[in-house]
Amino acid sequence: GQTLENHLPPFHQLVNFPEYLPQKSPANVNQTDNENKHKHSSNSSIKNCVMCGIRCHFVGSIVTKSPAQDGNCNGSLAVADIASSAAGSAPSPPNAAINTTAFVIPRQNKGVCTSCDVKVWLVRDLNATIKWCKGCKNFRQWSAFGEKTRATKCAKCRDRQKEKYAAQKELLKMKR
């Protein structure tokens, strides 16, 4: 039988705030060029997270978290109705006047901040729990993370990483 993994909606349908997706996203194809310019011209180094809606710094390189970043992103919930945005009942974005958080949005995270990329999310319509995989760069079923439920990569990506590491190690051994 097919697993629910094959039936997860596309990324742009899983986010709470599709209006914060990048311009080229399928969720934003109906915006006019003028709306896009206005929306993204104010400060391109500050973006709102597509999951919690919090304003975060957008960075182009991989970042490491400081111990102060282990808490919740301004009290956002780790389990949320992420499918409601398609039904038109998305949560309200936080007040835009609030300053940015210590969390950042890495370029490779598709608009998901460093607080939300480690949380487990509930898709109520599917009764499914999902988590961001930093290897796939997409949401995966939480069960795809195997026994290491707090891992940042799903079991498939961890296995691929192990194979790649073993191959590199073998190559180095042969060069000696």
Side-chain angles (χ1 to χ4, degrees):
Q2 289 187 342
T3 62
L4 182 62
E5 186 68 41
N6 298 332
H7 299 333
L8 277 182
F11 173 76
H12 70 274
Q13 291 178 4
L14 290 172
V15 299
N16 281 326
F17 299 99
E19 64 271 21
Y20 296 143
L21 286 169
Q23 296 173 18
K24 295 177 184 172
S25 166
N28 292 335
V29 292
N30 294 332
Q31 286 185 340
T32 65
D33 285 339
N34 200 22
E35 284 175 334
N36 278 332
K37 284 178 189 166
H38 181 270
K39 186 166 126 182
H40 295 281
S41 64
S42 59
N43 188 348
S44 60
S45 66
I46 304 289
K47 295 193 184 298
N48 292 70
C49 173
V50 297
M51 294 305 289
C52 66
I54 300 293
R55 291 168 45 91
C56 301
H57 288 281
F58 178 75
V59 294
S61 60
I62 298 173
V63 292
T64 55
K65 292 183 185 181
S66 69
Q69 290 177 312
D70 288 337
N72 286 341
C73 190
N74 277 1
S76 64
L77 299 175
V79 179
D81 179 7
I82 61 176
S84 67
S85 60
S89 58
S92 311
N95 183 347
I98 296 174
N99 290 334
T100 59
T101 68
F103 299 104
V104 297
I105 300 174
R107 182 178 305 280
Q108 69 274 18
N109 264 28
K110 295 184 179 176
V112 179
C113 77
T114 52
S115 174
C116 294
D117 72 3
V118 295
K119 294 178 181 178
V120 176
W121 297 87
L122 174 66
V123 183
R124 288 186 188 158
D125 293 355
L126 301 174
N127 195 27
T129 49
I130 62 172
K131 187 176 179 197
W132 181 258
C133 173
K134 291 185 179 185
C136 297
K137 295 178 179 37
N138 209 341
F139 286 106
R140 297 283 316 269
Q141 277 283 51
W142 194 25
S143 60
F145 288 77
E147 292 179 12
K148 296 190 175 194
T149 57
R150 300 192 87 193
T152 59
K153 294 180 181 175
C154 68
K156 189 170 131 186
C157 288
R158 289 195 314 271
D159 289 344
R160 186 174 47 218
Q161 186 177 8
K162 279 182 206 168
E163 290 170 16
K164 189 176 175 182
Y165 177 75
Q168 277 182 331
K169 201 171 179 183
E170 191 62 35
L171 200 80
L172 283 173
K173 199 186 258 186
M174 289 182 355
K175 284 184 179 179
R176 288 182 186 168

